[in-house]
Amino acid sequence: MREKLQAVVLAGGLATRMRPRTLTVPKSMLEVAGRPFVEWQLELLASCGIRDVVMCVAHLAEPIEAHVGDGARWGVRVRWAHEGPKLLGTAGAIRAALELLEPSFLVTYGDSYLPFDYAEPLRILAAHEDCDGVMAVYRNEGKWDTSNVILSPDGAWVERYDKADKTPAFDHIDYGATALRREVIARLPAPGGQPLGLDAVQRDLARAQRLRACLARERFFEIGSPEGLAELDRHLTKQKSSS
C-alpha cells in the first residue's frame, strides 16, 4: 500500500438540527470537551496514519479554514475544497474536489467521531481489486440510529444499503467512513446540476457487488444533534480524565 493515506472530510452542511448555534458557528467548530470538534477529528485521523486531509466546506467555511489553516498543528496537511454558494450534495462536494483526490481515499463526515482505525478500509481496498469501495459498518440493530446495511453471509460484503428500508434484516449501519477509488467519483456528472448524494453512490456499488465491508467494533459518535454532542462530550471528557 502506498504511504500517503488521504481522508476527505465533508464539512459543508447547514447543520439545521443544531440551530440556533450553527447560524453563526459552523458545526465543525462547536465546542466538545473544551475544544472545537474539528481538532479532535484531525488528531484522530493523524493517530491512524492519515496525514493528507481534504476539507470540503461550504456553509460558514471561513471560521473553519481560519482556525485549521494548513493543519500542521494536528499532524496533518489540510487542503480546502469550496462548494460555492449552491450546495452540491455529499457526492457532489467530493466531485468538486476531484483534482485533489488520491487514487484511493477515505471519505468521512465533519460531524462524525469514529473510535476505530480510519486506515483499515483503505488497507482492505488496496488488498482487493474486486471492489471499488469499502464501507465501515457497525452491528447496530437499530440501537444508535436506523440500521441501513445488510451484509453478505460471510460478512465481507455490503449486500444491500438502503436508508429508507426499515425491515429487521437491516441490522448493520453505515459507520461514517468509506474508502473509494478515485474513478468512482470521476464517473459522476460534473458539479452544477442536481445535488448528488454519497448514499446513492454507495447503494449503487452495493447493488453491483463492488462494495466490501469493514467491521467496526465500537459505537460511533456524532455531533449532528444536541444529544449526540452531549454524548461525545461525556465520552471525551471521561477519556481525558482517565489518561
Side-chain angles (χ1 to χ4, degrees), residues 168-197:
F170 288 83
D171 55 358
H172 286 71
I173 192 170
D174 174 5
Y175 194 62
T178 298
L180 292 172
R181 301 194 196 279
R182 186 180 185 272
E183 53 261 34
V184 171
I185 299 301
R187 290 195 295 263
L188 298 176
Q194 291 296 316
L196 299 171

Side-chain angles (χ1 to χ4, degrees), residues 168-232:
F170 288 83
D171 55 358
H172 286 71
I173 192 170
D174 174 5
Y175 194 62
T178 298
L180 292 172
R181 301 194 196 279
R182 186 180 185 272
E183 53 261 34
V184 171
I185 299 301
R187 290 195 295 263
L188 298 176
Q194 291 296 316
L196 299 171
L198 182 61
D199 58 325
V201 174
Q202 295 164 314
R203 182 198 62 217
D204 291 348
L205 287 177
R207 286 176 176 173
Q209 298 182 327
R210 299 291 296 178
L211 187 62
R212 281 185 170 268
C214 171
L215 188 63
R217 304 294 181 181
E218 296 186 50
R219 63 155 294 190
F220 57 90
F221 293 90
E222 51 81 23
I223 63 164
S225 66
E227 299 79 14
L229 189 149
E231 286 179 340
L232 180 57

Side-chain angles (χ1 to χ4, degrees), residues 93-143:
I94 305 170
R95 178 64 176 81
L98 186 65
E99 293 183 357
L100 301 178
L101 301 181
E102 290 292 313
S104 62
F105 60 92
L106 184 88
V107 59
T108 189
Y109 299 93
D111 60 0
S112 295
Y113 186 90
L114 309 177
F116 89 128
D117 184 357
Y118 277 85
E120 182 62 16
L122 286 166
R123 286 194 290 267
I124 295 173
L125 186 64
H128 296 90
E129 295 184 357
D130 58 2
C131 63
D132 294 313
V134 178
M135 177 189 283
V137 299
Y138 177 73
R139 190 173 183 85
N140 180 61
E141 297 179 320
K143 183 175 182 180

Side-chain angles (χ1 to χ4, degrees), residues 65 78 87 90 127 208 234:
E65 191 167 357
V78 173
L87 294 182
T90 45
R234 288 191 292 270

Side-chain angles (χ1 to χ4, degrees), residues 43-60:
E43 285 183 354
L44 188 57
L45 289 168
S47 73
C48 297
I50 294 176
R51 297 286 186 265
D52 187 71
V53 177
V54 175
M55 296 285 293
C56 294
V57 292
H59 176 63
L60 296 175

